[in-house]
PDB file of all heavy atoms in Angstrom:
ATOM      1  N   GLN K   4      92.749  65.026 107.965  1.00  0.00           N
ATOM      2  CA  GLN K   4      92.996  65.385 109.309  1.00  0.00           C
ATOM      3  C   GLN K   4      92.908  66.878 109.590  1.00  0.00           C
ATOM      4  O   GLN K   4      93.241  67.674 108.657  1.00  0.00           O
ATOM      5  CB  GLN K   4      94.425  64.879 109.679  1.00  0.00           C
ATOM      6  CG  GLN K   4      94.848  65.023 111.146  1.00  0.00           C
ATOM      7  CD  GLN K   4      95.577  66.237 111.435  1.00  0.00           C
ATOM      8  OE1 GLN K   4      96.062  67.021 110.508  1.00  0.00           O
ATOM      9  NE2 GLN K   4      95.688  66.566 112.681  1.00  0.00           N
ATOM     10  N   PHE K   5      92.353  67.346 110.715  1.00  0.00           N
ATOM     11  CA  PHE K   5      91.937  68.712 110.834  1.00  0.00           C
ATOM     12  C   PHE K   5      93.107  69.694 110.640  1.00  0.00           C
ATOM     13  O   PHE K   5      92.957  70.681 109.940  1.00  0.00           O
ATOM     14  CB  PHE K   5      91.360  68.961 112.214  1.00  0.00           C
ATOM     15  CG  PHE K   5      90.923  70.394 112.481  1.00  0.00           C
ATOM     16  CD1 PHE K   5      89.833  70.891 111.832  1.00  0.00           C
ATOM     17  CD2 PHE K   5      91.705  71.207 113.369  1.00  0.00           C
ATOM     18  CE1 PHE K   5      89.425  72.232 112.025  1.00  0.00           C
ATOM     19  CE2 PHE K   5      91.286  72.516 113.548  1.00  0.00           C
ATOM     20  CZ  PHE K   5      90.201  73.037 112.880  1.00  0.00           C
ATOM     21  N   GLY K   6      94.318  69.363 111.170  1.00  0.00           N
ATOM     22  CA  GLY K   6      95.461  70.308 110.990  1.00  0.00           C
ATOM     23  C   GLY K   6      95.843  70.343 109.484  1.00  0.00           C
ATOM     24  O   GLY K   6      96.209  71.489 109.020  1.00  0.00           O
ATOM     25  N   GLU K   7      95.671  69.276 108.793  1.00  0.00           N
ATOM     26  CA  GLU K   7      95.951  69.278 107.315  1.00  0.00           C
ATOM     27  C   GLU K   7      94.963  70.101 106.582  1.00  0.00           C
ATOM     28  O   GLU K   7      95.261  70.799 105.570  1.00  0.00           O
ATOM     29  CB  GLU K   7      96.025  67.821 106.831  1.00  0.00           C
ATOM     30  CG  GLU K   7      96.627  67.677 105.448  1.00  0.00           C
ATOM     31  CD  GLU K   7      98.068  68.134 105.302  1.00  0.00           C
ATOM     32  OE1 GLU K   7      98.781  68.031 106.399  1.00  0.00           O
ATOM     33  OE2 GLU K   7      98.485  68.499 104.261  1.00  0.00           O
ATOM     34  N   GLU K   8      93.685  70.059 106.997  1.00  0.00           N
ATOM     35  CA  GLU K   8      92.657  70.894 106.446  1.00  0.00           C
ATOM     36  C   GLU K   8      92.997  72.414 106.490  1.00  0.00           C
ATOM     37  O   GLU K   8      92.918  73.132 105.552  1.00  0.00           O
ATOM     38  CB  GLU K   8      91.335  70.625 107.114  1.00  0.00           C
ATOM     39  CG  GLU K   8      90.593  69.355 106.650  1.00  0.00           C
ATOM     40  CD  GLU K   8      90.113  69.358 105.248  1.00  0.00           C
ATOM     41  OE1 GLU K   8      89.661  70.475 104.790  1.00  0.00           O
ATOM     42  OE2 GLU K   8      90.069  68.372 104.588  1.00  0.00           O
ATOM     43  N   VAL K   9      93.452  72.791 107.761  1.00  0.00           N
ATOM     44  CA  VAL K   9      93.843  74.170 107.929  1.00  0.00           C
ATOM     45  C   VAL K   9      94.971  74.542 107.065  1.00  0.00           C
ATOM     46  O   VAL K   9      94.998  75.604 106.365  1.00  0.00           O
ATOM     47  CB  VAL K   9      94.168  74.409 109.413  1.00  0.00           C
ATOM     48  CG1 VAL K   9      94.778  75.850 109.602  1.00  0.00           C
ATOM     49  CG2 VAL K   9      92.967  74.165 110.369  1.00  0.00           C
ATOM     50  N   LYS K  10      96.059  73.749 107.052  1.00  0.00           N
ATOM     51  CA  LYS K  10      97.246  73.965 106.221  1.00  0.00           C
ATOM     52  C   LYS K  10      96.943  74.068 104.742  1.00  0.00           C
ATOM     53  O   LYS K  10      97.367  75.045 104.048  1.00  0.00           O
ATOM     54  CB  LYS K  10      98.263  72.863 106.504  1.00  0.00           C
ATOM     55  CG  LYS K  10      99.592  73.014 105.801  1.00  0.00           C
ATOM     56  CD  LYS K  10     100.489  71.887 106.149  1.00  0.00           C
ATOM     57  CE  LYS K  10     101.851  71.937 105.520  1.00  0.00           C
ATOM     58  NZ  LYS K  10     102.719  70.810 105.931  1.00  0.00           N
ATOM     59  N   THR K  11      96.113  73.125 104.272  1.00  0.00           N
ATOM     60  CA  THR K  11      95.790  73.179 102.858  1.00  0.00           C
ATOM     61  C   THR K  11      95.004  74.443 102.430  1.00  0.00           C
ATOM     62  O   THR K  11      95.195  75.026 101.434  1.00  0.00           O
ATOM     63  CB  THR K  11      95.002  71.881 102.465  1.00  0.00           C
ATOM     64  OG1 THR K  11      95.761  70.714 102.819  1.00  0.00           O
ATOM     65  CG2 THR K  11      94.591  71.902 100.996  1.00  0.00           C
ATOM     66  N   ALA K  12      94.040  74.808 103.373  1.00  0.00           N
ATOM     67  CA  ALA K  12      93.154  75.912 103.056  1.00  0.00           C
ATOM     68  C   ALA K  12      94.009  77.268 102.995  1.00  0.00           C
ATOM     69  O   ALA K  12      93.875  78.054 102.125  1.00  0.00           O
ATOM     70  CB  ALA K  12      92.038  75.978 104.097  1.00  0.00           C
ATOM     71  N   VAL K  13      94.795  77.404 104.055  1.00  0.00           N
ATOM     72  CA  VAL K  13      95.576  78.732 104.126  1.00  0.00           C
ATOM     73  C   VAL K  13      96.622  78.780 103.012  1.00  0.00           C
ATOM     74  O   VAL K  13      96.762  79.761 102.329  1.00  0.00           O
ATOM     75  CB  VAL K  13      96.209  78.847 105.554  1.00  0.00           C
ATOM     76  CG1 VAL K  13      97.096  80.080 105.616  1.00  0.00           C
ATOM     77  CG2 VAL K  13      95.081  78.926 106.627  1.00  0.00           C
ATOM     78  N   LEU K  14      97.409  77.647 102.839  1.00  0.00           N
ATOM     79  CA  LEU K  14      98.412  77.669 101.809  1.00  0.00           C
ATOM     80  C   LEU K  14      97.803  77.830 100.385  1.00  0.00           C
ATOM     81  O   LEU K  14      98.417  78.356  99.555  1.00  0.00           O
ATOM     82  CB  LEU K  14      99.211  76.404 101.910  1.00  0.00           C
ATOM     83  CG  LEU K  14     100.382  76.334 102.839  1.00  0.00           C
ATOM     84  CD1 LEU K  14     101.149  75.011 102.769  1.00  0.00           C
ATOM     85  CD2 LEU K  14     101.362  77.487 102.512  1.00  0.00           C
ATOM     86  N   GLY K  15      96.570  77.266 100.233  1.00  0.00           N
ATOM     87  CA  GLY K  15      95.973  77.396  98.965  1.00  0.00           C
ATOM     88  C   GLY K  15      95.778  78.814  98.570  1.00  0.00           C
ATOM     89  O   GLY K  15      95.965  79.206  97.325  1.00  0.00           O
ATOM     90  N   THR K  16      95.485  79.706  99.480  1.00  0.00           N
ATOM     91  CA  THR K  16      95.375  81.138  99.218  1.00  0.00           C
ATOM     92  C   THR K  16      96.695  81.800  99.088  1.00  0.00           C
ATOM     93  O   THR K  16      96.955  82.618  98.200  1.00  0.00           O
ATOM     94  CB  THR K  16      94.584  81.792 100.293  1.00  0.00           C
ATOM     95  OG1 THR K  16      93.258  81.235 100.392  1.00  0.00           O
ATOM     96  CG2 THR K  16      94.424  83.266 100.072  1.00  0.00           C
ATOM     97  N   VAL K  17      97.653  81.452  99.894  1.00  0.00           N
ATOM     98  CA  VAL K  17      98.971  82.021  99.820  1.00  0.00           C
ATOM     99  C   VAL K  17      99.641  81.773  98.462  1.00  0.00           C
ATOM    100  O   VAL K  17     100.183  82.617  97.802  1.00  0.00           O
ATOM    101  CB  VAL K  17      99.907  81.480 100.952  1.00  0.00           C
ATOM    102  CG1 VAL K  17     101.358  81.975 100.767  1.00  0.00           C
ATOM    103  CG2 VAL K  17      99.342  81.880 102.316  1.00  0.00           C
ATOM    104  N   LEU K  18      99.543  80.497  98.056  1.00  0.00           N
ATOM    105  CA  LEU K  18     100.263  80.113  96.814  1.00  0.00           C
ATOM    106  C   LEU K  18      99.364  80.427  95.539  1.00  0.00           C
ATOM    107  O   LEU K  18      99.914  80.117  94.407  1.00  0.00           O
ATOM    108  CB  LEU K  18     100.512  78.506  96.867  1.00  0.00           C
ATOM    109  CG  LEU K  18     101.383  78.070  98.014  1.00  0.00           C
ATOM    110  CD1 LEU K  18     101.490  76.576  98.029  1.00  0.00           C
ATOM    111  CD2 LEU K  18     102.765  78.716  97.885  1.00  0.00           C
ATOM    112  N   ALA K  19      98.229  80.995  95.705  1.00  0.00           N
ATOM    113  CA  ALA K  19      97.411  81.388  94.515  1.00  0.00           C
ATOM    114  C   ALA K  19      98.117  82.503  93.756  1.00  0.00           C
ATOM    115  O   ALA K  19      97.824  82.785  92.557  1.00  0.00           O
ATOM    116  CB  ALA K  19      96.039  81.750  94.920  1.00  0.00           C
ATOM    117  N   ASP K  20      98.976  83.235  94.434  1.00  0.00           N
ATOM    118  CA  ASP K  20      99.737  84.303  93.779  1.00  0.00           C
ATOM    119  C   ASP K  20     101.077  83.696  93.152  1.00  0.00           C
ATOM    120  O   ASP K  20     101.842  83.003  93.933  1.00  0.00           O
ATOM    121  CB  ASP K  20     100.134  85.409  94.826  1.00  0.00           C
ATOM    122  CG  ASP K  20     100.737  86.670  94.216  1.00  0.00           C
ATOM    123  OD1 ASP K  20     101.669  86.488  93.389  1.00  0.00           O
ATOM    124  OD2 ASP K  20     100.219  87.724  94.434  1.00  0.00           O
ATOM    125  N   SER K  21     101.240  83.912  91.896  1.00  0.00           N
ATOM    126  CA  SER K  21     102.377  83.224  91.148  1.00  0.00           C
ATOM    127  C   SER K  21     103.682  83.750  91.667  1.00  0.00           C
ATOM    128  O   SER K  21     104.708  83.085  91.312  1.00  0.00           O
ATOM    129  CB  SER K  21     102.199  83.480  89.678  1.00  0.00           C
ATOM    130  OG  SER K  21     102.200  84.857  89.354  1.00  0.00           O
ATOM    131  N   ARG K  22     103.814  84.765  92.428  1.00  0.00           N
ATOM    132  CA  ARG K  22     105.041  85.221  92.883  1.00  0.00           C
ATOM    133  C   ARG K  22     105.513  84.432  94.158  1.00  0.00           C
ATOM    134  O   ARG K  22     106.711  84.625  94.586  1.00  0.00           O
ATOM    135  CB  ARG K  22     104.908  86.777  93.323  1.00  0.00           C
ATOM    136  CG  ARG K  22     104.781  87.644  92.156  1.00  0.00           C
ATOM    137  CD  ARG K  22     104.450  89.100  92.597  1.00  0.00           C
ATOM    138  NE  ARG K  22     103.161  89.168  93.218  1.00  0.00           N
ATOM    139  CZ  ARG K  22     102.549  90.318  93.613  1.00  0.00           C
ATOM    140  NH1 ARG K  22     103.267  91.460  93.519  1.00  0.00           N
ATOM    141  NH2 ARG K  22     101.357  90.344  94.088  1.00  0.00           N
ATOM    142  N   ILE K  23     104.692  83.562  94.671  1.00  0.00           N
ATOM    143  CA  ILE K  23     104.991  82.816  95.891  1.00  0.00           C
ATOM    144  C   ILE K  23     104.926  81.329  95.535  1.00  0.00           C
ATOM    145  O   ILE K  23     103.974  80.895  94.839  1.00  0.00           O
ATOM    146  CB  ILE K  23     104.060  83.098  97.048  1.00  0.00           C
ATOM    147  CG1 ILE K  23     104.083  84.630  97.358  1.00  0.00           C
ATOM    148  CG2 ILE K  23     104.407  82.338  98.261  1.00  0.00           C
ATOM    149  CD1 ILE K  23     103.054  84.986  98.381  1.00  0.00           C
ATOM    150  N   ALA K  24     105.883  80.526  95.978  1.00  0.00           N
ATOM    151  CA  ALA K  24     105.839  79.040  95.721  1.00  0.00           C
ATOM    152  C   ALA K  24     106.321  78.389  96.983  1.00  0.00           C
ATOM    153  O   ALA K  24     107.008  78.957  97.848  1.00  0.00           O
ATOM    154  CB  ALA K  24     106.747  78.668  94.543  1.00  0.00           C
ATOM    155  N   GLN K  25     105.842  77.156  97.099  1.00  0.00           N
ATOM    156  CA  GLN K  25     106.393  76.339  98.229  1.00  0.00           C
ATOM    157  C   GLN K  25     107.750  75.781  97.892  1.00  0.00           C
ATOM    158  O   GLN K  25     107.924  75.223  96.832  1.00  0.00           O
ATOM    159  CB  GLN K  25     105.397  75.136  98.518  1.00  0.00           C
ATOM    160  CG  GLN K  25     105.754  74.302  99.729  1.00  0.00           C
ATOM    161  CD  GLN K  25     104.665  73.327 100.048  1.00  0.00           C
ATOM    162  OE1 GLN K  25     103.482  73.535  99.743  1.00  0.00           O
ATOM    163  NE2 GLN K  25     104.961  72.260 100.688  1.00  0.00           N
ATOM    164  N   ALA K  26     108.686  75.927  98.811  1.00  0.00           N
ATOM    165  CA  ALA K  26     110.050  75.470  98.501  1.00  0.00           C
ATOM    166  C   ALA K  26     110.074  73.942  98.437  1.00  0.00           C
ATOM    167  O   ALA K  26     109.358  73.231  99.177  1.00  0.00           O
ATOM    168  CB  ALA K  26     110.953  75.866  99.643  1.00  0.00           C
ATOM    169  N   PRO K  27     110.820  73.338  97.596  1.00  0.00           N
ATOM    170  CA  PRO K  27     110.895  71.875  97.417  1.00  0.00           C
ATOM    171  C   PRO K  27     111.564  71.390  98.682  1.00  0.00           C
ATOM    172  O   PRO K  27     112.396  71.991  99.361  1.00  0.00           O
ATOM    173  CB  PRO K  27     111.782  71.723  96.143  1.00  0.00           C
ATOM    174  CG  PRO K  27     112.598  72.936  96.085  1.00  0.00           C
ATOM    175  CD  PRO K  27     111.691  74.053  96.615  1.00  0.00           C
ATOM    176  N   ALA K  28     111.195  70.052  98.929  1.00  0.00           N
ATOM    177  CA  ALA K  28     111.787  69.393 100.156  1.00  0.00           C
ATOM    178  C   ALA K  28     113.225  69.170 100.077  1.00  0.00           C
ATOM    179  O   ALA K  28     113.936  69.120 101.048  1.00  0.00           O
ATOM    180  CB  ALA K  28     111.041  68.094 100.385  1.00  0.00           C
ATOM    181  N   ALA K  29     113.728  69.003  98.837  1.00  0.00           N
ATOM    182  CA  ALA K  29     115.174  68.822  98.610  1.00  0.00           C
ATOM    183  C   ALA K  29     115.609  69.548  97.334  1.00  0.00           C
ATOM    184  O   ALA K  29     114.760  69.892  96.473  1.00  0.00           O
ATOM    185  CB  ALA K  29     115.464  67.292  98.542  1.00  0.00           C
ATOM    186  N   GLY K  30     116.897  69.738  97.155  1.00  0.00           N
ATOM    187  CA  GLY K  30     117.401  70.263  95.942  1.00  0.00           C
ATOM    188  C   GLY K  30     117.476  71.790  95.888  1.00  0.00           C
ATOM    189  O   GLY K  30     117.766  72.343  94.903  1.00  0.00           O
ATOM    190  N   TYR K  31     117.086  72.387  96.975  1.00  0.00           N
ATOM    191  CA  TYR K  31     117.108  73.886  96.963  1.00  0.00           C
ATOM    192  C   TYR K  31     118.589  74.429  97.393  1.00  0.00           C
ATOM    193  O   TYR K  31     119.061  73.997  98.454  1.00  0.00           O
ATOM    194  CB  TYR K  31     116.080  74.436  97.883  1.00  0.00           C
ATOM    195  CG  TYR K  31     116.164  75.986  98.052  1.00  0.00           C
ATOM    196  CD1 TYR K  31     115.616  76.788  97.099  1.00  0.00           C
ATOM    197  CD2 TYR K  31     116.747  76.535  99.166  1.00  0.00           C
ATOM    198  CE1 TYR K  31     115.645  78.180  97.258  1.00  0.00           C
ATOM    199  CE2 TYR K  31     116.840  77.932  99.318  1.00  0.00           C
ATOM    200  CZ  TYR K  31     116.299  78.686  98.295  1.00  0.00           C
ATOM    201  OH  TYR K  31     116.379  80.103  98.487  1.00  0.00           O
ATOM    202  N   ALA K  32     119.129  75.156  96.635  1.00  0.00           N
ATOM    203  CA  ALA K  32     120.484  75.710  96.855  1.00  0.00           C
ATOM    204  C   ALA K  32     120.381  76.850  97.856  1.00  0.00           C
ATOM    205  O   ALA K  32     119.668  77.778  97.674  1.00  0.00           O
ATOM    206  CB  ALA K  32     121.149  76.131  95.606  1.00  0.00           C
ATOM    207  N   GLN K  33     121.085  76.713  99.021  1.00  0.00           N
ATOM    208  CA  GLN K  33     121.010  77.781 100.044  1.00  0.00           C
ATOM    209  C   GLN K  33     121.460  79.121  99.541  1.00  0.00           C
ATOM    210  O   GLN K  33     121.123  80.128 100.009  1.00  0.00           O
ATOM    211  CB  GLN K  33     121.775  77.304 101.253  1.00  0.00           C
ATOM    212  CG  GLN K  33     121.286  76.137 101.975  1.00  0.00           C
ATOM    213  CD  GLN K  33     119.929  76.441 102.604  1.00  0.00           C
ATOM    214  OE1 GLN K  33     119.635  77.599 102.944  1.00  0.00           O
ATOM    215  NE2 GLN K  33     119.007  75.466 102.744  1.00  0.00           N
ATOM    216  N   GLY K  34     122.337  79.075  98.473  1.00  0.00           N
ATOM    217  CA  GLY K  34     122.762  80.337  97.962  1.00  0.00           C
ATOM    218  C   GLY K  34     121.860  81.025  96.988  1.00  0.00           C
ATOM    219  O   GLY K  34     122.147  82.042  96.464  1.00  0.00           O
ATOM    220  N   ASN K  35     120.722  80.355  96.729  1.00  0.00           N
ATOM    221  CA  ASN K  35     119.769  80.939  95.776  1.00  0.00           C
ATOM    222  C   ASN K  35     119.301  82.310  96.235  1.00  0.00           C
ATOM    223  O   ASN K  35     119.084  82.563  97.381  1.00  0.00           O
ATOM    224  CB  ASN K  35     118.546  80.012  95.667  1.00  0.00           C
ATOM    225  CG  ASN K  35     117.724  80.265  94.439  1.00  0.00           C
ATOM    226  OD1 ASN K  35     117.310  81.439  94.225  1.00  0.00           O
ATOM    227  ND2 ASN K  35     117.455  79.230  93.646  1.00  0.00           N
ATOM    228  N   ALA K  36     119.145  83.259  95.281  1.00  0.00           N
ATOM    229  CA  ALA K  36     118.785  84.621  95.619  1.00  0.00           C
ATOM    230  C   ALA K  36     117.389  84.806  96.015  1.00  0.00           C
ATOM    231  O   ALA K  36     117.022  85.871  96.583  1.00  0.00           O
ATOM    232  CB  ALA K  36     119.151  85.523  94.499  1.00  0.00           C
ATOM    233  N   ILE K  37     116.547  83.818  95.772  1.00  0.00           N
ATOM    234  CA  ILE K  37     115.128  83.881  96.112  1.00  0.00           C
ATOM    235  C   ILE K  37     114.912  83.831  97.604  1.00  0.00           C
ATOM    236  O   ILE K  37     115.389  82.945  98.269  1.00  0.00           O
ATOM    237  CB  ILE K  37     114.269  82.750  95.406  1.00  0.00           C
ATOM    238  CG1 ILE K  37     114.395  82.780  93.911  1.00  0.00           C
ATOM    239  CG2 ILE K  37     112.824  82.904  95.785  1.00  0.00           C
ATOM    240  CD1 ILE K  37     113.737  81.688  93.188  1.00  0.00           C
ATOM    241  N   PRO K  38     114.307  84.911  98.173  1.00  0.00           N
ATOM    242  CA  PRO K  38     114.159  84.799  99.703  1.00  0.00           C
ATOM    243  C   PRO K  38     113.195  83.666 100.082  1.00  0.00           C
ATOM    244  O   PRO K  38     112.274  83.355  99.400  1.00  0.00           O
ATOM    245  CB  PRO K  38     113.443  86.215 100.000  1.00  0.00           C
ATOM    246  CG  PRO K  38     112.861  86.634  98.705  1.00  0.00           C
ATOM    247  CD  PRO K  38     113.790  86.101  97.650  1.00  0.00           C
ATOM    248  N   LYS K  39     113.570  83.025 101.203  1.00  0.00           N
ATOM    249  CA  LYS K  39     112.865  81.804 101.710  1.00  0.00           C
ATOM    250  C   LYS K  39     112.478  82.069 103.114  1.00  0.00           C
ATOM    251  O   LYS K  39     113.222  82.460 103.987  1.00  0.00           O
ATOM    252  CB  LYS K  39     113.904  80.631 101.546  1.00  0.00           C
ATOM    253  CG  LYS K  39     113.281  79.300 101.897  1.00  0.00           C
ATOM    254  CD  LYS K  39     114.350  78.221 101.646  1.00  0.00           C
ATOM    255  CE  LYS K  39     113.924  76.883 102.030  1.00  0.00           C
ATOM    256  NZ  LYS K  39     115.035  75.888 101.915  1.00  0.00           N
TER     257      LYS K  39
END
């Protein structure tokens, strides 16, 4: 789907840097020090 193509392409570049990760859908503690 076209919107998914855009999302995958842009995020693929964003997440290619090991300092950035996609937050998990669940299990993330709001008090975590990692900026979100």
Side-chain angles (χ1 to χ4, degrees):
Q4 190 265 345
F5 180 70
E7 193 63 27
E8 283 289 329
V9 173
K10 182 178 180 179
T11 302
V13 176
L14 273 180
T16 299
V17 173
L18 299 175
D20 190 305
S21 61
R22 291 171 290 182
I23 304 173
Q25 184 172 337
Y31 175 79
Q33 292 295 331
N35 197 308
I37 301 177
K39 184 180 180 184

